[in-house]
């Protein structure tokens, strides 16, 4: 269990921060940038939850907890040899199962979708773009650092989940805002 007695420590006042293994890195280090993008994705999902209830809200709450797990995974280098909290295949499988269940009720796409529709849908489209940014940063990071490969798979699946759930929250696709190619030429 995490216990925070003090919110400020002054430890980062000179531009460095601690990882979960106690090592210090620059606040602008790629790992910290990546953790910040995951945090942004989580915050955007929190905004979407202002417009959801019931099973939809519970699904997003689980995802927010998963994103904290992912952040914890990123916060500790995989080389320390200790058992750590890591994103697992089970979490990815759950996302896939939810995507499949949500997608069953959706009308087939006849065009690309513009982000919008209901407030929840618009927020989830925004979350999808933030997740994609985190995914791109993670893919770059993996070119030079070792990480749990499940982290990249999770983010990839999560962006798909955000897309399908955004459609679900647009009256199962009936209220999707469709792109009209060349409409304003």
């Amino acid at each position: 269990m995490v216990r925070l007695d003090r919110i400020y420590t002054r430890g980062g006042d000179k531009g460095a921060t601690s990882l979960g293994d106690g090592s210090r890195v620059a606040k602008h280090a790629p790992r910290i940038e990546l953790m910040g993008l995951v945090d942004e994705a989580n915050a955007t999902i929190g905004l979407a939850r202002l417009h959801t209830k019931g099973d939809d809200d519970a699904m997003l709450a689980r995802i927010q907890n998963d994103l904290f797990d992912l952040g914890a995974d990123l916060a500790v280098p995989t080389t320390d040899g200790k058992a750590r909290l890591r994103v697992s295949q089970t979490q990815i499988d759950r996302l896939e199962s939810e995507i499949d269940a949500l997608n069953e009720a959706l009308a087939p796409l006849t065009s690309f979708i513009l982000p919008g529709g209901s407030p929840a849908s618009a927020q989830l489209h925004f979350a999808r773009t933030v997740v994609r940014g985190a995914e791109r940063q993670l893919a770059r990071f993996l070119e030079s650092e070792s990480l749990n490969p499940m982290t990249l798979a999770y983010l990839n699946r999560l962006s798909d989940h955000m897309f399908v759930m955004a459609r679900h929250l647009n009256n199962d696709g009936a209220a999707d805002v469709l792109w009209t190619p060349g409409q304003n030429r």
Side-chain angles (χ1 to χ4, degrees):
M1 183 57 120
V2 175
R3 179 181 171 153
L4 300 173
D5 294 326
R6 289 182 49 197
I7 301 304
Y8 65 89
T9 64
R10 297 185 177 107
D13 290 355
K14 294 183 180 175
T17 192
S18 295
L19 294 177
D21 65 354
S23 62
R24 302 283 291 169
V25 297
K27 286 191 175 205
H28 58 79
R31 182 182 298 266
I32 302 304
E33 292 282 348
L34 178 56
M35 291 166 57
L37 287 171
V38 170
D39 193 29
E40 285 179 40
N42 204 337
T44 61
I45 292 168
L47 289 171
R49 288 186 65 201
L50 295 173
H51 307 285
T52 61
K53 57 185 175 197
D55 291 343
D56 296 331
D57 191 61
M59 197 179 303
L60 293 174
R62 284 191 299 273
I63 289 168
Q64 284 191 291
N65 275 282
D66 283 352
L67 287 174
F68 259 79
D69 289 353
L70 198 150
D73 194 331
L74 296 174
V76 181
T78 57
T79 57
D80 76 351
K82 296 180 182 176
R84 301 289 186 167
L85 178 60
R86 301 289 182 206
V87 171
S88 70
Q89 184 65 48
T90 303
Q91 290 164 299
I92 296 164
D93 292 344
R94 191 195 74 246
L95 285 179
E96 289 176 355
S97 176
E98 291 172 357
I99 290 167
D100 292 342
L102 290 169
N103 201 45
E104 281 182 21
L106 298 179
L109 285 174
T110 58
S111 178
F112 288 108
I113 296 173
L114 300 177
S118 71
S121 178
Q123 287 292 323
L124 288 176
H125 278 297
F126 180 53
R128 174 184 52 78
T129 67
V130 176
V131 169
R132 283 286 188 212
E135 183 184 6
R136 288 189 300 272
Q137 179 76 9
L138 180 53
R140 267 191 300 276
F141 190 77
L142 284 168
E143 291 177 356
S144 61
E145 296 280 341
S146 176
L147 283 177
N148 171 8
M150 295 292 122
T151 56
L152 186 60
Y154 185 88
L155 288 178
N156 187 22
R157 216 66 82 249
L158 180 57
S159 61
D160 295 334
H161 192 293
M162 296 293 94
F163 178 78
V164 171
M165 191 164 194
R167 293 199 67 217
H168 162 70
L169 293 170
N170 264 345
N171 195 18
D172 285 330
D176 284 340
V177 180
L178 301 179
W179 171 49
T180 305
Q183 178 181 19
N184 299 310
R185 284 196 276 175

